[in-house]
Structure formats: structure tokens, C-alpha cells
Amino acid sequence: MSPSEAIDGQGAVRSRPTIGLALLGSELSVLFRRRRTWAMLLALAAVPVLIAVAVRLSSSGPTPGRGPAFLDQITQNGLFVSAVGLIVSIPLFLPLTIGVVAGDTIAGEANVSTLRYLLVAPAGRVRLLVVKYLATAAFCLAATLAVTIAGALIGVALFPVAPVTLLSGDTIGVADSVIRSLLIAAYITVSLLGLSAIGVFISTMTDVPVGAMATTIVLSVVSQILDSLPQLDWLHPWLFSHYWLGFADLLRQPISWDSFGQNAVLQGGYFVVFAALAYGRFSTKDILS
Amino acid sequence: MTRSWVRWIPAMAVPVLIASAAVAVPLSANAAVSLPDKSPQQLLALVADAKVTALSGTIQQTSDLGLPQLPDTGAGAGSTASSLLELLSGSHTARVYMDGRTNLRMQILDKLAERDLIRSGSDLWLYDSSDKKVTHSVLPGDPAGARSTAPGVSLTPEELATQLIAAVDPSTKLTVGSDLRVAGRTAYELVLTPKATDSLLSSVSIAVDSATGLPLEVSLNARGQKSTAASIGFTSISLAKPDASLFAFTPPAGSTVTQQPISPRSDAKHTGPTQSPTAAPGDTTARPTVMGKGWSAVVAVPASPKISALLGSPLYSQLTSAVGGGRLLHTSLVNVLVTSDGRIFAGSVPAARLQAAAAAQQ
């Protein structure tokens, strides 16, 4: 088939060990120099900022038990702004941005006819897929950190900082709570890896990036709708969005690692399935653009 | 063309691998267990001699009572009636830590929330993270007495099993079922079968840890229902002593603390594992009376304003159906009859027996 396939083999990897890293570096710099990427990160960072400003400006504080979880705690402790921001972003905003980035990976290159040039350079299809996926994963981390850090900064700026009350009623110090915030960011990044793999696979199916983006986002919404139907109990543990809000287990005392582990196994399963599918599709595809 | 076919092999192999792992892992966990035979009486003695003083573990409670299921989210969530219903359907996970007879911590893990029950010596704290409310009680009298945190409330498989075993009388047939594995430990299965044929309960099975005699799981089976109607059991357990800091509770900043005195009484009749663990202790607006004996006993609760308030909710009319003399809440394990004058009759018996009991009491 195409000349690029000959370079796919092990020999190429061994003789040019740095090419993957160079490709990853260029891919990351392309991704993070895009205006679109920055616009999405800024939009994500705006979520906790909007929440904090709205709570700050309203005369009466939020009542417990209404609105998203932890909202009533913001006025006493600014460190909770990140948590509220994440809870609000997880169902739609985060999957939306991941869908855009993952859906664009292969289809975007094909759409502007740069895919064949990427493959003519000694890159190889598998390595290109791996690099594209890693770049998407890097964006997952950046997106989660954008919400977490923006939330922490605006929270500290507008509200008092105090020791954090965990869900269990225990209180931990500020340093401990920073560690837990980072753990939550790690949890949510892992949560989004399955969706990223799905997005990259869909992206190999089409030359129209918008189609791949929309399909990925719709799938994430469908998964969440299925997850809320009790009649489908048996299906729930298999849905990639099932553990998305499970990061609350990191806010218990002692930390419950069960959902972290289950989530990682589930996302790993989605990654393996869709990586294999993407490999099957992309390595047999006729690259015409 | 053959080469392109080869490239699809991973995509075909991976789902097969995952499916076989999903089947094989639970199977290997339930690999046949073979323990030396024991008679039911020996098992009862094993439970009575259980000397577990410290444990930490995760408990799962599931109910499949044939009630309608509501979506997890939506307008209905959060109201009193639907949180009651929530306890009767679906599944709940709790973590439990125990050290000695007087230190206990129970955490009911809700979605983005948690309800905690901490007993340290004679102090009893209830904490609900969703509204940041703390309830503090001081347990009366002998703090080394009852293990139970609140009278009549069964929180752990162990407490429920002890209550069920204490109620064993000649109306119950005792048998030993097959050996099983619960929470990674080997266990005997003690089966309690009511001799009475009018009980909705067909059998109760208690998994007894073979090494320590600790009841690990209790399942209730309903007549005419294939799946287990209700069960509570450990999914993981460790017999190591939990960290002492877990039992020290200080109300967090910003919470509202209510002091709730406990009147010394212990006559509350438990209705199984579905009872709300956060039910306020000492809440005695109406004293229930028990009619009949054994498995087909009927509990009668006199009318009270608190109950009639609960009956005003729309969920009540949705869940119950009109029968002669009132409205009936029917589940596969328990029937509850609310008469038109507000009295409540409940029991694991057919509805006709409740109606007869209601008519007889007038």
C-alpha cells in the first residue's frame, strides 16, 4: 500500500528513537498554539469565575441543598469554588471541549489535506495515532486544570480561605486540601481518557471534523442519559460516564480509592477497545487527502 | 487484502478478551468453597461465640421489592417521601469502622454527599453533609451495653443477623446451605425458613464467616420472587483495628448542631434492613403494638399527626393502591395498610390479614 506503511515496523522505531517525541512535541505545540484551544480553555476557566462572582454579588448566600453540591460552602471557604466549577463542567462543558479536540485529531488533518503529508514524513500511521491520542490526553489534563486553578484563584480572591470540611464532616488543613484538589483533577483527567479514545476513533472514520466532534459529544450525552435510567442498572457499570462524579470519594475521610480504581479500569478498557478499532480503521484506510 | 484483514484482529480480539475477563473474574472469586460440615446448632453457637472486636469494611445494601423506580435526578429527588422510597429501592453503599463495643463509625456514601453516624463512648453524632446538620445525643446508662447505636435500628449485617437469630423459635426451620465466599472470606450459609405458609418471606439466609463466626451477609427472599428481595452484606472487610481518629468527631465549622436527648427505651420493632439509619432516636409519637407471633406478626401503629403529614405527599397516592378500608403499599416482602382513619398495619403477610387485623382492632 502506501510507502508510509513500510516504516511502521519495529526497525524504524529502533533506528529513530526520537522521532516520536519530536512528533509529539510538534503536535502539542500546534494544539496549544491554536486560538481555538485557548478559547476553549478560557471558556472552561470562566465557569468557576462566573459562579464565584454570581455568589459574591448575590445578597443572600446560597441555601444548603439547592443548586450544585458544595455551592453553599463557597461563601465560607473559597477553596470550594474549584469543586463546584468541576461539578458544573463535567456533564457538558468538559466533554464538549474534549469532543472538539479528539474529533479534530485525524479528520481535521484529512479535511485540510495535511494528513498525507504527515504520513509521507517518516511518521507512520500507528505513531501518528499514538501522538494524536497523547495530545488529546494532554488537553484533558489542561482542561481540568484550567477549571481547578481558575476556581482556586477566584475563590481565594473573593472569599475567605479556611480549613476544608470534607463530606464525612472531618476538617483538613489548606495544604491537604490542595493535594486533594490535584487528586480530583487527576481523577477527572483519567475519567475523560475513555471519551478521548472514542473521539480519536470516530475521527479516523471521516474526513469531516465537525461530524466527528458532534458524534463524540452526542455519545457522551447519550451515555449520561442512559446512566440516569434505573431500568438499565445492569448497563451502568459499563458506561464511560458512570464514574464521572465519583471524584466525591476523594473528599471522604479516609479517602475511598474504590471508585478511582474502578474508573481507571473502565477508562483503560474503553481505551484498549477504541485504540484497537482506531488502529484497524486507520491502518487499513486509503489516505486520499 | 489479507494484510488489511490482519490489522482488524486487535479490534476483534480486545472485546472478546474483555468479555471473557468480565465473566472469569467473578467466577474465580466464587470458586467452589468446601468447609467442614456443621449442623445448624453448631452454626448458631459459632455466631454466638463471635469475638470480632474491631473491623473496617464496606457494606452494600440492595433492595428489589417490586416498587416502581424513579430516576436518580429530577424534581422528585430530595423530598422526604422520595428519600424514604430511595431507601426501599436500589442499592446503597456504606463504610463501617468498629473498634470495641462503643466505638463505631458508619458512613453512608451518597452521590456527592455523605451521612455519617459516629459513636464514641456514650456520644452519638449524626452528620448529614447535604444540609450540614449535626445531631448530638448522649446514650444513657451503661455505655458498654448494646452495640447498636440507636435502639431498634439495624445498621450492619451482624446486628441484623443477631436480631434474626434471637427471634428464632419453633416456627422457624433451620438448615445449612452451601458454603460460599463473601467479601473474600469463606462462609457457611445458615438458612431460616418460616414454617408459616402465609408469610411473604420464603427464607432468610445468613452467611457466617467460617473463621470468626461474624455474620457477613443477610439476604431476604420473598415468596414467588426469583431474585433476592433485600440483602445487606460486606463487599470488603478487614479485621484490623481502625485508626482511632476516625471516632473523634467535632462538628465542622458552619454546621448547625441539635442536641437530641434519648429516652431509655428499646421496644421499637425493627422492620428489616430498609429502616432509615438516620431515623431520629427516641422518636416516640406513637407506640406501635405487635399482634400475633413469629414470622406472620402484624405491627399496628396508631394514627398520629406526623404520619398524616407524610401521607399528604403525592408519592403516597402514587405508590399505594386503594383497598377495602384504606390504601395498601405492596412490596414483595412487606405489606403496609394505611386505614382511612390514619392507622398503619404492617407485616410480612398477605393484605387480607392486615385488613382483618385492622377490622379486629376497631
Side-chain angles (χ1 to χ4, degrees), chain A residues 64-141:
Chain A
R66 299 195 55 189
F70 307 124
L71 187 63
D72 55 304
Q73 310 224 20
I74 289 181
T75 45
Q76 292 141 28
N77 198 337
L79 294 173
F80 274 102
V81 177
S82 307
V84 179
L86 284 171
I87 290 173
V88 172
S89 315
I90 283 173
L92 187 63
F93 297 123
L94 279 172
L96 200 77
T97 53
I98 305 306
V100 168
V101 172
D104 192 50
T105 45
I106 305 292
E109 302 280 3
N111 192 43
V112 292
S113 305
T114 46
L115 190 54
R116 55 184 153 170
Y117 299 111
L118 267 178
L119 292 173
V120 165
R125 296 190 179 197
V126 175
R127 208 168 319 154
L128 184 67
L129 261 188
V130 169
V131 162
K132 287 289 185 184
Y133 183 76
L134 287 178
T136 312
F139 180 79
C140 292
L141 181 64

Side-chain angles (χ1 to χ4, degrees), chain B residues 8-218:
Chain B
W8 282 100
I9 286 181
M12 286 179 276
V14 165
V16 174
L17 274 178
I18 289 181
S20 47
V23 172
V25 169
L27 271 186
S28 69
N30 287 330
V33 183
S34 176
L35 294 166
D37 285 348
K38 273 196 167 38
S39 71
Q41 272 63 37
Q42 283 174 310
L43 275 187
L44 287 181
L46 186 67
V47 174
D49 283 350
K51 283 191 185 64
V52 173
T53 50
L55 66 83
S56 45
T58 309
I59 293 177
Q60 181 128 37
Q61 179 251 312
T62 57
S63 315
D64 178 13
L65 299 175
L67 283 172
Q69 288 184 312
L70 296 177
D72 291 344
T73 51
S79 69
T80 319
S82 76
S83 65
L84 275 176
L85 180 70
E86 176 236 307
L87 276 165
L88 291 171
S89 62
S91 80
H92 295 89
T93 309
R95 291 192 294 178
V96 64
Y97 303 91
M98 191 182 86
D99 182 12
R101 298 189 77 80
T102 55
N103 284 344
L104 179 104
R105 178 157 191 166
M106 176 116 181
Q107 305 178 316
I108 301 175
L109 310 181
D110 300 322
K111 203 173 190 179
L112 292 173
E114 184 170 314
R115 283 166 286 169
D116 269 53
L117 183 152
I118 304 112
R119 180 180 170 187
S120 170
S122 57
D123 282 317
L124 177 65
W125 300 91
L126 296 173
Y127 175 70
D128 188 341
S129 81
S130 58
D131 50 10
K132 300 200 84 183
K133 278 197 180 121
V134 178
T135 312
H136 178 231
S137 313
V138 177
L139 295 170
D142 177 19
R147 158 85 48 78
S148 180
T149 46
V153 179
S154 303
L155 292 177
T156 61
E158 186 197 2
E159 285 174 1
L160 182 62
T162 318
Q163 287 183 7
L164 285 168
I165 287 172
V168 165
D169 57 13
S171 71
T172 311
K173 198 174 111 207
L174 283 176
T175 45
V176 177
S178 51
D179 300 335
L180 26 100
R181 195 180 289 274
V182 177
R185 300 179 70 91
T186 52
Y188 291 102
E189 187 186 22
L190 180 64
V191 183
L192 283 61
T193 316
K195 285 180 184 159
T197 48
D198 60 348
S199 169
L200 294 180
L201 203 69
S202 67
S203 71
V204 176
S205 75
I206 301 172
V208 180
D209 184 27
S210 60
T212 60
L214 182 78
L216 294 175
E217 188 173 56
V218 178

Side-chain angles (χ1 to χ4, degrees), chain A residues 222-230 232 235-237 239 241-244, chain B residues 72 111:
Chain A
V222 167
S223 170
Q224 291 178 77
I225 291 173
L226 293 179
D227 202 23
S228 70
L229 295 176
L232 298 174
L235 183 67
H236 290 174
L239 293 170
S241 64
H242 184 61
Y243 297 103
W244 277 5
Chain B
D72 291 344
K111 203 173 190 179

Side-chain angles (χ1 to χ4, degrees), chain A residues 8-19:
Chain A
D8 254 353
Q10 290 292 312
V13 179
R14 247 177 279 132
S15 62
R16 310 181 83 133
T18 55
I19 189 92

